[in-house]
Amino acid sequence: MSEAQALDDRARKILRDNDRGGHTVPTDRLYPYQWNWDSAFAAFGFSTFDIDRAWTEFDTLFSGQWANGMVPHILFHQPDDDYFPGPDVWCTHAAVPSSGISQPPVAATLARKTYERDPVIGRQRIRILYDKFLAWHQWFNNHRCESGAAAITHPWEAGRDNAPDWDAAMVAIDPSGVAPYTRRDTGHVDPSMRPTKYDYDRYIALVQFGRDQGWDEDKILKDSPFRVADPTTTFTLLRAHRDLKWLGDQLGENTEIIDGWISDLAQGAEILWNADLKSYDSRDLRSGNFANSLSNASFLSWYAGVEDGRSLATLVELLKKVKYGVPSFSPDSAKFDARRYWRGPVWAIMNTLIAMGLGEAGHHEIATRLRLDTAELIKLNGFAEYYDPYDGTPAGGGTFTWTAAVWLGWASPTAKEV
Ligand code: GLC
């Protein structure tokens, strides 16, 4: 058996082991529930060897959809003391206990890839899910796109929890009402690889704020101290709209409404272009200020179908600074921290999305570098949550679902891309 086949076996085993019966946890203990975008990646991984199980992952994800269309970032299918903040802190009163915010909508894109692996089964399964997807995308359009770009109401909504993108905006959050609490994450992982207490206090304060508003989106929009337009959400949503339209076309649906969302968001994304940084950037919607954050999310523009060449040189320069691209934050910044979560480490899933976009736009050389970098990280250091971009040291949790999934669907030499 070749090295690649042995790794394929390990990756499939990780997905099976992290399967809790219809939904996949990101990794045992550290993340014991169903996370939204992790789940979509899990489906992408399953689609390479068990197409039914892949679609079931989307079914369970949408089982937690709210009446207003929102698909939560965490579904608490069963109680578990290994994670804080749990359902008692969020108090969302949803049919499936859940958080009160969403996460980057990669699901339609990865559902399309799952469909393309087996169009006969895909057609049957997406038929049942299509209206649910549409309602979720409509929710984003109604409740997150008021600036033209897509915004987040909590750092966790961008999936890049402690990115420097939020540092300035976080200053406006008052954590004085947060009662003492015990973090669980730092009991599972070296605290130097996790967000700081300063950040955590503010994450919890924002959860309490949403809870006090009864998770009413209009009240949150009006009064929340935190609202940031962000490249992860904007570009994944724009891409997801395009793929949802494609899926709707397969079903013979009228997709005009999606055309409108696509053109609005493609124009709106321009507010994230930071000419000084020569890159897309996050933007605090309360102050109007750019975050001045050169992150891996900055390079999701090609994935979104936005090809203007402006940030290609910035990416090429950034890649010269590390051994394994793309770092989650620029090493030129004083805030760079090679092992702390979204402030420096490299993430296999982000490489996958960035490279998919680059490849589709014809930038094959860089796309290939990212695929080979990712494959080498996994070969040398296993299926980690994230890695040090200088020496590849594995960081965060191990046996990680989405790292195994993108190995199977994209990074493995045996991967057959769809
Ligand atoms: C962290 C990540 C987030 C991910 C979750 C589960 O919170 O920042 O993107 O979805 O872990 O893996």
Side-chain angles (χ1 to χ4, degrees):
M1 187 191 286
S2 72
E3 185 188 18
Q5 284 165 332
L7 283 164
D8 292 353
D9 277 353
R10 273 177 60 197
R12 284 187 284 264
K13 180 166 172 7
I14 289 173
L15 292 187
R16 293 284 191 217
D17 288 351
N18 289 341
D19 184 352
R20 294 290 177 273
H23 74 275
T24 313
V25 297
T27 190
D28 196 32
R29 311 262 341 249
L30 179 62
Y31 300 112
Y33 302 112
Q34 184 173 25
W35 261 259
N36 187 320
W37 69 328
D38 298 68
S39 216
F41 280 105
F44 176 60
F46 275 120
S47 75
T48 63
F49 65 101
D50 185 343
I51 204 83
D52 274 320
R53 180 61 189 79
W55 284 109
T56 302
E57 190 76 29
F58 291 116
D59 293 342
T60 50
L61 179 62
F62 278 91
S63 73
Q65 184 167 37
W66 286 16
N68 67 0
M70 198 269 277
V71 182
H73 103 289
I74 307 175
L75 298 179
F76 304 109
H77 289 290
Q78 72 290 310
D80 199 309
D81 285 341
D82 267 327
Y83 182 80
F84 175 86
D88 51 322
V89 183
W90 290 90
C91 295
T92 56
H93 308 298
V96 177
S98 75
S99 69
I101 57 173
S102 200
Q103 247 192 341
V106 294
T109 299
L110 298 176
R112 171 179 174 173
K113 295 211 173 274
T114 303
Y115 182 111
E116 287 176 319
R117 286 207 188 268
D118 186 333
V120 174
I121 293 182
R123 203 184 158 78
Q124 292 161 8
R125 303 296 288 261
I126 200 67
R127 174 76 277 164
I128 301 158
L129 288 166
Y130 180 76
D131 287 345
K132 299 177 186 183
F133 269 105
L134 199 65
W136 185 29
H137 286 214
Q138 174 88 66
W139 173 87
F140 267 111
N141 191 61
N142 292 352
H143 298 296
R144 293 292 182 269
C145 293
E146 76 277 1
S147 71
I152 56 168
T153 58
H154 191 296
W156 291 340
E157 210 160 35
R160 296 183 296 126
D161 305 14
N162 67 339
D165 298 50
W166 335 121
D167 286 1
M170 294 266 277
V171 172
I173 303 168
D174 173 10
S176 59
V178 174
Y181 59 92
T182 307
R183 281 174 69 170
R184 304 288 173 192
D185 59 321
T186 44
H188 301 303
V189 167
D190 179 345
S192 69
M193 296 174 175
R194 298 286 306 174
T196 59
K197 173 168 167 45
Y198 173 95
D199 284 333
Y200 239 83
D201 287 350
R202 282 154 187 80
Y203 300 154
I204 303 305
L206 272 184
V207 171
Q208 289 184 185
F209 170 81
R211 181 187 72 194
D212 293 346
Q213 312 311 308
W215 299 106
D216 179 316
E217 292 294 353
D218 294 333
K219 289 187 187 163
I220 291 172
L221 171 61
K222 189 165 153 286
D223 292 329
S224 172
F226 183 91
R227 202 155 184 107
V228 180
D230 145 72
T232 332
T233 315
T234 299
F235 290 136
T236 56
L237 181 61
L238 180 50
R239 171 64 184 254
H241 283 333
R242 297 188 199 279
D243 290 319
L244 187 59
K245 177 182 164 61
W246 185 90
L247 288 166
D249 288 343
Q250 307 312 301
L251 296 173
E253 294 279 335
N254 179 340
T255 55
E256 264 171 48
I257 189 166
I258 308 179
D259 292 332
W261 298 338
I262 293 171
S263 76
D264 288 352
L265 198 54
Q267 272 178 30
E270 192 57 23
I271 74 152
L272 301 182
W273 178 254
N274 181 338
D276 295 335
L277 201 61
K278 296 194 178 55
S279 172
Y280 290 97
D281 190 5
S282 291
R283 198 154 180 186
D284 184 342
L285 294 180
R286 297 298 186 224
S287 66
N289 295 336
F290 280 114
N292 284 312
S293 172
L294 188 60
S295 74
N296 47 3
S298 304
F299 303 108
L300 289 172
S301 48
W302 295 281
Y303 169 81
V306 177
E307 166 64 276
D308 57 16
R310 287 180 297 183
S311 41
L312 198 58
T314 313
L315 176 58
V316 170
E317 282 309 304
L318 181 63
L319 289 175
K320 286 183 191 155
K321 298 184 175 143
V322 290
K323 183 159 191 299
Y324 300 105
V326 180
S328 48
F329 192 54
S330 168
D332 288 341
S333 167
K335 290 181 174 177
F336 174 84
D337 187 340
R339 303 217 177 144
R340 199 184 285 278
Y341 221 30
W342 293 96
R343 298 175 88 88
V346 49
W347 293 69
I349 54 137
M350 293 298 281
N351 280 358
T352 308
L353 302 182
I354 296 167
M356 273 178 185
L358 286 165
E360 288 160 1
H363 303 298
H364 297 295
E365 210 178 304
I366 311 186
T368 302
R369 164 165 176 192
L370 296 186
R371 194 164 60 74
L372 295 177
D373 279 5
T374 309
E376 190 166 313
L377 283 168
I378 292 171
K379 277 184 201 161
L380 296 177
N381 303 297
F383 296 91
E385 186 178 10
Y386 44 95
Y387 306 84
D388 181 317
Y390 291 129
D391 63 10
T393 298
T399 55
F400 226 83
T401 291
W402 62 14
T403 309
V406 300
W407 169 266
L408 289 170
W410 172 74
S412 169
T414 69
K416 290 187 193 55
E417 277 186 66
V418 288

